């Protein structure tokens, strides 16, 4: 019984999460660079037009998020789980904000540093290898917070702490955009995925996250589903993966390649038939009356 419990309910402690995140994202930048777009965006893209390339759609996604956040020059933006830093770099270039990112993946952190230096943005963007929970003790607060595809790694027992931490880190009147894969219910999710692809991965439901928002100081002002955009994103990744499959087999073996076929295709199907969803929730901390009156800003 304890073996099955450990397999289905892995630890959601800090040290376990660092290990779980690393097991997936530290497979190596060279591996992800083979089949992701050049921005190395590893989350749902946004296809404004049917014929958008994956690279264009990932660019669209980042700028769609930045538009929703109503950024102004000089603002501070925290990216919780910032990946390779693409969003923060784009925000600094377009809006002149000061960006701060945190990640638990050494490989992502390393690539992020290279990117910041290559762009000459050392005074605008900083990425640290740090757990987001440790930022509160430093007394930091930000004008805006964004988190893309990171909540899935937090673990159900930590959702209240995650939302409470985000609230502590956000200034009054600030805005928080949360972008994550959501489940329809509060089940533990797919055991195969949890064992082989995303150790400890859990999909929050929309209702539990909205409920936790109101347990804290947040007011939800916009919710959008990008479910079909993720289906399309995954099919792009799958097609790219097939083109480099022989290289992957040479480096990591046939079994690994088959696992990733199943992961990319299985997720695509799950989004297509609606077993899972992708939500962007836009929240303000307290009431915010200085935004444009319509959502089309």
């Amino acid at each position: 019984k304890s073996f099955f419990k450990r397999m289905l309910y892995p630890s959601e402690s800090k040290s376990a999460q660092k290990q779980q995140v690393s097991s997936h994202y530290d497979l190596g930048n060279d591996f992800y660079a083979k089949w992701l777009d050049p921005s190395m965006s590893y989350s749902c893209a946004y296809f404004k037009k049917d014929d958008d390339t994956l690279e264009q759609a990932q660019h669209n996604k980042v700028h769609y998020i930045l538009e929703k956040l109503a950024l102004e020059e000089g603002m501070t933006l925290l990216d919780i789980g910032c990946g390779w830093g693409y969003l923060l770099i784009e925000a600094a270039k377009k809006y002149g904000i000061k960006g701060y990112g945190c990640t638990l993946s050494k490989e992502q952190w390393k690539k992020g540093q290279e990117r910041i230096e290559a762009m000459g943005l050392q005074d605008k963007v900083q990425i640290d290898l740090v757990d987001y929970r440790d930022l509160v003790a430093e007394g930091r607060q930000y004008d805006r917070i964004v988190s893309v595809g990171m909540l899935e790694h937090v673990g159900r027992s930590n959702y209240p702490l995650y939302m409470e931490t985000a609230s502590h880190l956000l200034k009054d009147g600030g805005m928080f955009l949360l972008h994550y894969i959501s489940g329809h219910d509060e089940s533990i999710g797919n055991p195969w995925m949890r064992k082989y692809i995303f150790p400890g991965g859990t999909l929050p439901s929309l209702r539990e996250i909205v409920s936790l928002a109101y347990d804290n100081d947040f007011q939800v002002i916009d919710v959008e589903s990008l479910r079909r955009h993720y289906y399309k994103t995954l099919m792009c990744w799958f097609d790219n993966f097939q083109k480099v499959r022989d290289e992957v087999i040479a480096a990591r073996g046939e079994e690994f390649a088959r696992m990733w076929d199943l992961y990319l295709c299985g997720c695509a199907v799950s989004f297509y038939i609606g077993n899972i969803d992708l939500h962007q929730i836009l929240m303000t901390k307290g009431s915010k009356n200085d935004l444009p009156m319509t959502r089309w800003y």
Side-chain angles (χ1 to χ4, degrees), residues 162-177:
Y162 177 89
M163 294 299 282
E164 189 186 321
T165 302
S167 180
H168 281 309
L169 291 169
L170 191 62
K171 292 178 185 172
D172 287 338
M175 296 172 78
F176 175 27
L177 187 136

Side-chain angles (χ1 to χ4, degrees), residues 138-171:
E138 297 175 26
R140 297 180 187 224
Q141 278 200 317
Y142 301 86
D143 297 302
R144 301 284 187 267
I145 298 178
V146 65
S147 189
V148 178
M150 181 271 183
L151 186 61
E152 301 89 325
H153 299 288
V154 163
R156 182 150 279 115
S157 66
N158 289 318
Y159 295 159
L161 178 62
Y162 177 89
M163 294 299 282
E164 189 186 321
T165 302
S167 180
H168 281 309
L169 291 169
L170 191 62
K171 292 178 185 172

